[in-house]
Amino acid sequence: MPQIDPFTSFRRGLESPATHHIAITPQDGVDLPVRPRVLRVLASGDLAMRDEAGTVITYAVTAGETIGFSAAGIEATGTTASVAGWY
């Protein structure tokens, strides 16, 4: 039986839930293939996030945490956590 989506006639907004997810492999200086709306922490550790200006800040994160930051990239150097991106 095909899936029914009662929201297909509604326009998606920034407050709408994400509909796609991507596995993220940290790489130094490499932009993510798709810019996620948020990140979901899969395994605890440190997460080195790079913004669109190139600034990298490392945060201690916990598994299950959702980070409301649209990172341009996740750096390998300094990252021990595992994350997925939602968009």
Side-chain angles (χ1 to χ4, degrees), residues 20-39 50 70-75 83-87:
H20 296 77
H21 54 158
I22 56 170
I24 294 177
T25 302
Q27 295 180 296
D28 290 336
V30 177
D31 286 345
L32 293 170
V34 176
R35 188 102 180 244
R37 288 183 185 204
V38 298
L39 300 169
R50 182 171 37 82
S70 182
I74 303 299
E75 304 298 299
V83 295
W86 293 350
Y87 66 98

Side-chain angles (χ1 to χ4, degrees), residues 39-45 47 61-67 81-84 86:
L39 300 169
R40 177 71 171 182
V41 180
L42 305 175
S44 300
L47 182 62
V61 295
T62 304
E65 183 177 355
T66 300
I67 301 169
S82 295
V83 295
W86 293 350

